[in-house]
Amino acid sequence: MRVLYKIGISLFAGVLLTSCVVGKKYSRTDLNVPEKYREEVTLTGDTILHPWKNYYKDPLLVDLIEKALVKNNEVLIAIKSMEQLDLNYKQAKLGLLPTLDFDANASRSYQSKNSLNGSLSAQFTSKDYMDDYNANIQLSWEADIWGKVTMQKREAKANYFAQKENLSALKTRIIVQVAQSYYNLLGLDEQLKIAQKNIELSDNTLNMMKLQYNSGAISSLALYQTEAQKKTAELLVPLAKANIAVQENALQILCGEYPDSILRSGNLEVAEFDVVLPSGIPASLLSRRPDVKAAEYAVMSANAKTGLAKATMYPTLSLRPSIGKNSFEFDTWFNFPGSVTKTIAANLAQPIFRKRALRTAYEVAIIEQEKAVIQFKQSYITAVGEVNDAMSQLKYADERMELATEKAVSLDKATSDATLLYKSGMVTYLDVIVAQNGALQNDLDVVSIKLEKLNAAINLYRALGGGVQ
């Protein structure tokens, strides 16, 4: 009873000492978050939490995004990583429980007849060998004096939620990449149409000049330069087709499929977003961005690791009671209580000299935590910068589009007038070529600006945290 009493006192003391957590609790570092973005516009939490299905209206694009979120291999790997971290967290929660081990063995040893043990065993057992039958159950429990289990749970939990946020960030990136690839396809379709339109226009001009050349009204120089202008438009066709095939292949791979063609509907005009930028909420709402939240969880994990590294320098208390059966005869092995063995052991260990290894590990853990804090700050700064970039691009893309549209009207009129004036002999063929070339280039610029505006709207949605639901 005295032994059991002592064991009970030891267990009770260990439980009391469990509350002595040496690691510090996490507290967020001061980020000095600005009150507003560089542009005189800020966004509300409703915008940040806007579901992606309400943002993208094209049903074919929605189908592609849904397929990518399910079949993209990067997403599947990230989900498996989450499953691993979930198992690690569940394991960490069991840290306070004792371990129980069972072992059984049987052995026969033939000892030297000229040895003392051999001669005595031969006299005692009348055999030239010695049997040993043993079975043992051992309980092992370490008192969580310095809160190691608590810090292990904090680390495992932080790692799990960091991976969860990384998965959300990955899905947001996949959504953006699918949308941008889809709209790039629409832009390439527009470029192909512009090239084919200009080929038709150049062909009409070339036919007119061939008639004038045959009648001796113009030289061969005018004819050849007009043919060259037509070839300039024709060169855009195979280039656009090649780019379309490459973009389709990349989009299919992004969706977890083998390269193939992509169904699409509408055009860039239909695809434009009605992006509303309300005001009233500071940039601190960027904490909802999954990558920023993952960076903060990394700081929490590093904080727990620092506490664990510190705890290794303190003493440990463990109890190892065991009970079993032992006999040198198999027939008496099952006798009770004659074959019963009992062991009661308590162990107190304190590291004294480890060539400064434990102190170095602790100092390294502190540096890793400081690095994680810096990376968290940088992720926040980057997030604010990305929002500012996207809003600036969106704002000035509208201005550029307005100017390019006005320019297109002037160039269309110039091309029409140049053709009429040329027929009347009031301008040269060079004026017609210059007008057509200017109109072609401006049409391509309009498509590029439309894509820039769409990409800016998509990037703004991602920079604000997006929405993967």
Side-chain angles (χ1 to χ4, degrees):
M1 292 299 293
R2 288 183 179 180
V3 173
L4 294 176
Y5 176 75
K6 291 179 181 179
I7 293 176
I9 292 295
S10 299
L11 290 172
F12 181 70
V15 172
L16 288 179
L17 290 171
T18 300
S19 60
C20 302
V21 180
V22 297
K24 295 180 180 179
K25 287 188 176 181
Y26 170 76
S27 60
R28 176 183 287 182
T29 184
D30 186 9
L31 298 173
N32 296 320
V33 180
E35 295 182 358
K36 60 182 181 180
Y37 299 103
R38 178 177 177 178
E39 297 294 333
E40 292 298 322
V41 182
T42 51
L43 295 110
T44 67
D46 292 337
T47 307
I48 297 174
L49 299 177
H50 201 45
W52 67 266
K53 287 186 178 180
N54 294 341
Y55 201 68
Y56 303 105
K57 304 296 184 181
D58 191 323
L60 294 179
L61 173 58
V62 171
D63 290 341
L64 287 171
I65 293 175
E66 288 179 336
K67 184 192 297 184
L69 292 178
V70 174
K71 301 182 68 175
N72 181 271
N73 289 317
E74 287 187 73
V75 173
L76 296 177
I77 292 172
I79 291 174
K80 292 299 179 182
S81 297
M82 271 198 67
E83 293 175 2
Q84 290 176 311
L85 292 171
D86 182 44
L87 292 174
N88 290 340
Y89 178 58
K90 291 177 179 178
Q91 180 63 43
K93 291 194 295 184
L94 303 177
L96 285 174
L97 297 179
T99 60
L100 187 65
D101 297 307
F102 171 78
D103 68 270
N105 60 78
S107 65
R108 173 172 292 181
S109 60
Y110 294 85
Q111 299 180 352
S112 171
K113 296 179 180 179
N114 295 327
S115 67
L116 179 61
N117 290 336
S119 60
L120 291 176
S121 63
Q123 294 176 12
F124 183 71
T125 62
S126 300
K127 298 176 182 177
D128 60 350
Y129 58 84
M130 176 67 74
D131 288 339
D132 185 60
Y133 301 94
N134 185 66
N136 189 60
I137 296 177
Q138 183 179 49
L139 181 72
S140 180
W141 180 78
E142 180 180 334
D144 189 22
I145 302 174
W146 313 113
K148 290 182 182 178
V149 174
T150 300
M151 289 181 286
Q152 288 170 349
K153 288 193 293 185
R154 288 177 185 172
E155 179 191 358
K157 185 176 181 180
N159 289 336
Y160 173 80
F161 283 105
Q163 180 60 28
K164 183 178 180 181
E165 296 302 331
N166 284 330
L167 177 60
S168 297
L170 174 61
K171 287 184 176 181
T172 299
R173 177 169 64 82
I174 294 297
I175 292 171
V176 168
Q177 289 178 340
V178 171
Q180 289 178 335
S181 298
Y182 183 82
Y183 292 131
N184 284 340
L185 277 175
L186 295 183
L188 291 169
D189 289 342
E190 292 287 331
Q191 291 178 4
L192 184 59
K193 291 177 182 177
I194 291 170
Q196 292 170 340
K197 174 185 173 182
N198 276 270
I199 290 172
E200 182 179 352
L201 180 61
S202 297
D203 193 53
N204 293 334
T205 303
L206 182 61
N207 290 334
M208 177 185 65
M209 288 191 171
K210 283 181 178 179
L211 293 174
Q212 292 180 330
Y213 173 74
N214 293 331
S215 64
I218 60 173
S219 66
S220 60
L221 178 61
L223 184 65
Y224 293 148
Q225 286 191 320
T226 305
E227 288 180 344
Q229 171 63 22
K230 179 183 176 183
K231 294 298 181 183
T232 300
E234 288 178 342
L235 281 171
L236 296 175
V237 174
L239 177 62
K241 290 181 177 179
N243 289 335
I244 287 172
V246 171
Q247 188 65 79
E248 285 180 328
N249 294 341
L251 183 51
Q252 286 283 32
I253 292 173
L254 194 62
C255 295
E257 301 281 356
Y258 286 101
D260 201 353
S261 59
I262 296 289
L263 293 176
R264 45 197 180 273
S265 60
N267 51 51
L268 291 181
E269 297 291 343
V270 178
E272 288 190 12
F273 303 131
D274 184 18
V275 181
V276 181
L277 304 177
S279 60
I281 303 296
S284 60
L285 280 181
L286 284 174
S287 61
R288 295 182 181 178
R289 272 182 50 142
D291 57 334
V292 175
K293 292 168 69 176
E296 184 170 15
Y297 280 122
V299 179
M300 296 179 186
S301 176
N303 181 70
K305 289 179 180 177
T306 301
L308 284 170
K310 186 176 182 180
T312 59
M313 296 186 291
Y314 290 85
T316 59
L317 173 64
S318 60
L319 301 175
R320 290 187 176 87
S322 65
I323 186 171
K325 304 179 78 174
N326 180 256
S327 176
F328 68 93
E329 293 286 351
F330 184 78
D331 294 339
T332 61
W333 191 25
F334 298 98
N335 288 349
F336 185 85
S339 297
V340 174
T341 63
K342 293 174 285 186
T343 303
I344 299 173
N347 182 61
L348 180 65
Q350 168 63 54
I352 296 177
F353 180 69
R354 298 283 184 88
K355 295 183 290 187
R356 209 180 181 278
L358 299 181
R359 170 61 62 177
T360 300
Y362 174 59
E363 292 173 352
V364 169
I366 292 176
I367 294 174
E368 289 294 332
Q369 183 177 347
E370 292 171 349
K371 286 167 57 179
V373 170
I374 295 172
Q375 290 169 348
F376 174 43
K377 290 181 178 179
Q378 183 59 39
S379 69
Y380 223 99
I381 293 172
T382 301
V384 175
E386 288 178 351
V387 174
N388 279 310
D389 291 346
M391 288 197 294
S392 296
Q393 291 169 353
L394 197 59
K395 175 182 177 181
Y396 295 112
D398 284 331
E399 294 182 14
R400 291 176 62 201
M401 179 59 68
E402 183 177 351
L403 294 172
T405 302
E406 294 173 356
K407 182 180 177 181
V409 174
S410 299
L411 287 172
D412 287 342
K413 187 68 169 61
T415 302
S416 176
D417 290 349
T419 303
L420 293 175
L421 291 171
Y422 178 77
K423 291 179 179 179
S424 303
M426 299 178 65
V427 297
T428 67
Y429 67 91
L430 291 176
D431 295 312
V432 177
I433 293 174
V434 169
Q436 290 179 349
N437 188 61
L440 170 62
Q441 188 59 50
N442 189 71
D443 288 343
L444 295 176
D445 289 342
V446 169
V447 173
S448 297
I449 295 172
K450 287 179 181 178
L451 283 175
E452 289 177 14
K453 183 179 178 182
L454 283 170
N455 287 332
I458 294 170
N459 286 331
L460 179 60
Y461 182 69
R462 181 197 60 80
L464 291 166
V468 298
Q469 301 299 326

